[in-house]
């Protein structure tokens, strides 16, 4: 009997913890301001083309709670920022604005406690608008 009660209690604690760690109910800016830290790029897609596996293995972004960021990218390719360091701020409708020009939205249905998915459009005059997407995990 006691063993059954302990098992049930342990299951309840694990289930509650698992649910709360997966469901992060905060704005994107709140996550970055409060959690900040270093995030590693694990996936990138540009329009219909997926970046080759391993292309961004050493690419990280440090979000600082003072509204600045630093890109650590030893391979030299810049994904969505005009520079390797700059500013970010909260935009409307749960977006982040990098350097006053690039508006990035988060795909909430793909968020977990340590994973974010950013998406944004790149519009080059006279060409088709292309959607870019990157997945980040907390490093």
């Amino acid at each position: 009997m006691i063993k059954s009660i302990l098992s049930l209690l342990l299951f309840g604690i694990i289930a509650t913890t698992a649910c709360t760690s997966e469901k992060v109910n905060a704005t994107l800016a709140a996550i970055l301001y409060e959690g900040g830290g270093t995030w590693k790029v694990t996936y990138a897609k540009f329009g219909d083309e997926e970046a080759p596996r391993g292309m961004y293995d050493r690419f990280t972004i440090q979000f600082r709670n003072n509204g600045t960021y630093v890109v650590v990218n030893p391979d030299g390719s810049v994904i969505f920022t005009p520079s390797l360091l700059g500013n970010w701020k909260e935009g409307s409708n749960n977006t982040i604005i990098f350097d006053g020009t690039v508006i990035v939205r988060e795909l909430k249905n793909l968020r977990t406690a340590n994973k974010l998915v950013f998406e944004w459009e790149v519009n080059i005059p006279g060409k088709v608008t292309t959607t870019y997407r990157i997945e980040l995990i907390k490093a």
Side-chain angles (χ1 to χ4, degrees):
M1 176 76 168
I2 292 177
K3 188 175 180 180
S4 297
I5 293 171
L6 288 175
S7 295
L8 187 59
L9 182 60
L10 181 59
F11 175 78
I13 291 170
I14 291 170
T16 303
T17 305
C19 291
T20 56
S21 68
E22 289 298 313
K23 303 224 183 242
V24 180
N25 195 18
T27 66
L28 178 56
I31 291 169
L32 297 180
Y33 279 125
E34 294 169 16
T38 301
W39 293 77
K40 180 179 179 351
V41 176
T42 58
Y43 174 84
K45 184 175 182 180
F46 312 105
D48 293 333
E49 296 181 35
E50 291 184 17
R53 194 160 186 73
M55 182 175 182
Y56 295 104
D57 281 352
R58 300 179 339 176
F59 188 109
T60 61
I61 304 171
Q62 282 183 350
F63 292 100
R64 297 178 175 160
N65 60 7
N66 66 356
T68 61
Y69 70 87
V70 176
V71 175
V72 176
N73 185 4
D75 300 325
S77 170
V78 176
I79 292 180
F80 64 88
T81 61
S83 64
L84 295 179
L85 57 107
N87 298 302
W88 66 272
K89 66 179 183 177
E90 184 172 14
S92 60
N93 298 322
N94 199 30
T95 60
I96 298 294
I97 302 171
F98 286 91
D99 301 319
T101 60
V102 178
I103 301 172
V104 174
R105 66 185 169 274
E106 177 199 14
L107 300 181
K108 277 187 156 187
N109 58 332
L110 299 177
R111 180 199 293 182
T112 64
N114 63 351
K115 175 183 163 186
L116 299 172
V117 180
F118 288 167
E119 193 173 74
W120 67 100
E121 273 83 34
V122 174
N123 186 1
I124 301 170
K127 300 207 177 196
V128 185
T129 300
T130 302
T131 301
Y132 284 30
R133 176 186 285 191
I134 61 170
E135 292 182 8
L136 303 162
I137 60 166
K138 188 79 175 202

